[in-house]
Structure formats: C-alpha cells, structure tokens
Amino acid sequence: MTDSDKPSSISSPDDAGERVARGRLFVFAGPSGVGKDTLIRELVGRWPFYLSVSATTRQPRPGEVDGRDYIFLTDEEFTTWVEEERFLEWARFSDHRYGTPREAVEQQLAAGVDVLVEIEVQGAMQVKAVAPEAIFIFVEPPSLEELEARLVRRGDTDDMEARLERARVEMEMADEFDHRVVNEVLSDAVAGLLSVVARPEGSQNDQPAD
Ligand code: 5GP
C-alpha cells in the first residue's frame, strides 16, 4: 500500500453527487530557520497544492499580511478556537501559540487537492495521531552551526538560545518522519521534495475513486 492509497481519518468523502479522490496531506516540519518557507516557495508552480495558513498569537513581522502569512489572533481568540475544536493541531512555540485551522484543510482534501502544512514537530506528532496516513517530511539543516548562522543572517536573534535548544530537540524527533531532506544546496533539497510529493503513477487521483 502506498501513502496515497491509505484511507483518511480526517473526513469522509461527500456521498452526494460525484466522488472525488481525496487529496493527500503533507506535513512539513523542521527547525525554525532551516529554510522551510524558501523551499515551499520553490514548490509553487511545480506541484499543485494548497498551503495551509496557520493561526498564531505572535505579532506580525514586517511585511507579513493577516490571512496570507498567518491568521493573527489574540490570546483570547486563540483560546476560543481551541475550545471550538477549530484546530487540526496546535502547539506552543517561543511563548506563542500556533495552530492549523481544520476547516480549510478538510475542504481542500475533500476537493481532491493536496495540502501542505508547515508546522513545528509537536504539532506534526499531533497530526500523526489523528491522520496517520499523512506524509511526514522533516527538513534539516546541514548542522546546528549552519542553522545558527542562518538565524543570525535573517536577524532572528531575539530568542536565539531558545530556538537553538528547540532545534536540538526537534532534530531528535526526525526519525519519526517518513522522509528527511537536508537543506544544504537549495536545488538538491527542492529535487528531493519533488520526488516525495510526485504522485505515483496509477495513484488515486489518476482514476476515479470507487
Ligand atoms: P515563525 O514564528 O518563525 O513564523 O514560526 C515558528 C515556528 O512555528 C516554525 O517552526 C513553524 O513551522 C511553526 N508553526 C507555524 N505554524 C504552525 C502551526 O499551525 N502549528 C504548529 N504546531 N506550528 C506552526
């Protein structure tokens, strides 16, 4: 059985009208600063997918747009979303909370669209518990020293020690993932990712479900 044949536990197809083969759920994790955003930008146009927009309680960084980069929520709003079970998963990171809104992910999967969620490792493990059929990809830096250098280059030095400690913990979880991609040479990492997301020939979306 390939990843794409496995049944999904997130939601079932709509029985009314035509049945659409479900999209596949990809979970993309790896330490902060490893270059996940750059890699995702490289995938645009080479693979049709929906990128989940997370909610967070952190403040927007310069240039970030509400609803595009993140859904920026107050602490109270985030708590309400948790209580209303609107998150597929959520986790704390650097004194803030981050979560994947469930509804958009489910809608896209049901419409047959592949979905990519870019989250930290704790959240990825939660997704594994509710959607074990998802495909888990861990992006790692060539080394922790290189990761630190990248965080410095992007000016992300505020809570550097905490981020590096977190990175160490995250890298210890890498074995839990289906695929590992080292982001050293960008083009190699992109090629590695494309080979993971490529739809196997004869997979569910090449033919009608049922
Ligand atoms: P940043 O504040 O740098 O944008 O993100 C910090 C960390 O939060 C990154 O490792 C990122 O992958 C993670 N993150 C972003 N959105 C989510 C989410 O919806 N859920 C979880 N669990 N982590 C997220």
Side-chain angles (χ1 to χ4, degrees), residues 37-49 51 116 190 194:
D37 292 340
T38 310
L39 285 170
I40 290 170
R41 275 198 297 276
E42 292 287 327
L43 292 177
V44 173
R46 302 185 193 186
W47 167 48
F49 67 101
L51 179 61
L116 180 60
V190 171
L194 286 172

Side-chain angles (χ1 to χ4, degrees), residues 56-57 73-80 92 95-97:
T56 182
T57 57
L73 300 180
T74 62
D75 252 333
E76 295 69 32
E77 287 168 334
F78 199 99
T79 300
T80 305
R92 287 182 195 282
D95 290 338
H96 297 291
R97 287 181 289 174

Side-chain angles (χ1 to χ4, degrees), residues 29-189:
S32 171
V34 79
K36 286 171 287 179
D37 292 340
T38 310
L39 285 170
I40 290 170
R41 275 198 297 276
E42 292 287 327
L43 292 177
V44 173
R46 302 185 193 186
W47 167 48
F49 67 101
Y50 168 78
L51 179 61
S52 164
V53 180
S54 295
T56 182
T57 57
R58 82 150 162 75
Q59 292 298 309
R61 296 195 182 116
E64 283 185 334
V65 175
D66 189 22
R68 184 193 69 187
D69 300 292
Y70 277 107
I71 300 165
F72 293 99
L73 300 180
T74 62
D75 252 333
E76 295 69 32
E77 287 168 334
F78 199 99
T79 300
T80 305
W81 282 44
V82 172
E83 287 167 359
E84 292 176 350
E85 298 185 359
R86 290 174 68 177
F87 290 121
L88 182 60
E89 61 71 36
W90 69 269
R92 287 182 195 282
F93 185 93
S94 276
D95 290 338
H96 297 291
R97 287 181 289 174
Y98 295 78
T100 305
R102 180 195 300 279
E103 194 180 5
V105 170
E106 286 183 351
Q107 278 173 355
Q108 296 291 331
L109 290 175
V113 178
D114 287 345
V115 172
L116 180 60
V117 300
E118 188 261 278
I119 59 182
E120 51 62 71
V121 170
Q122 276 181 18
M125 293 303 106
Q126 290 178 46
V127 176
K128 204 168 189 180
V130 295
E133 74 285 354
I135 298 153
F136 295 84
I137 306 171
F138 189 82
V139 184
E140 50 195 332
S143 65
L144 279 172
E145 292 71 31
E146 175 58 25
L147 184 70
E148 181 169 4
R150 288 182 195 181
L151 286 170
V152 169
R153 279 202 293 277
R154 84 174 188 191
D156 223 348
T157 49
D158 272 6
D159 36 16
M160 175 71 93
E161 264 320 303
R163 278 183 190 253
L164 285 177
E165 182 48 35
R166 179 77 177 226
R168 278 180 210 110
V169 173
E170 296 211 338
M171 305 241 306
E172 280 167 15
M173 304 288 290
D175 284 345
E176 301 287 325
F177 287 72
D178 300 317
H179 304 276
R180 295 169 69 156
V181 173
V182 179
N183 189 15
E184 184 162 21
V185 176
L186 183 65
S187 55
D188 291 350

